[in-house]
Amino acid sequence: MRRKRVMKIKGIELLDFVNYKKPSVFIAFPRCSFKCDRENGVQMCQNRGLDLQPNIDISMYELVDTILRAPVAEAIVIGGLEPFDSENDLLALVGALRYQTDKDIVIYTGYTEEELWRQISILKKYLNIIIKFGRFRPNQTPHFDEVLGVNLASDNQYAKKI
């Protein structure tokens, strides 16, 4: 008998127009080391409240099925707290989704490309993967990111198709 893979998320939004230029499903991941807060010396994470929300246990099968049945979504955005702080679940979800669909998968991270070189090398085997890199820095002028089609809060943040 095959064991169901259960993962934790903070939530799922079936129609999101904020994080990507295409209508998307948004999955909020449950963990973060709050590296932005530590590096800036002040608690200022816009997602801090999400950390206080309860985790949701969901089977990988149920999550993928829910994502794929979202009627208008043309992409999948993974963010929340820090997806790469739940690396095993992130990579398993991307693999499961890629087996079923070729829709864009966008991963929002506060890590840099250099910090994620190993994970990027794993994700490069999949098509249509976009990663938004860079920690939040306060008091920056937002800028438009051409890849995502949205404004990003800090000048060190950018998206790249890998």
Side-chain angles (χ1 to χ4, degrees), residues 90-109:
L90 173 63
L91 296 176
L93 178 60
V94 169
L97 286 166
R98 216 14 105 231
Y99 183 73
Q100 302 272 342
T101 181
D102 63 355
K103 292 179 180 179
D104 294 350
I105 297 174
V106 180
I107 304 168
Y108 270 68
T109 182

Side-chain angles (χ1 to χ4, degrees), residues 76-92:
I76 300 115
V77 176
I78 302 170
L81 290 171
E82 173 54 65
F84 285 100
D85 284 354
S86 301
E87 180 181 327
N88 291 337
D89 283 344
L90 173 63
L91 296 176

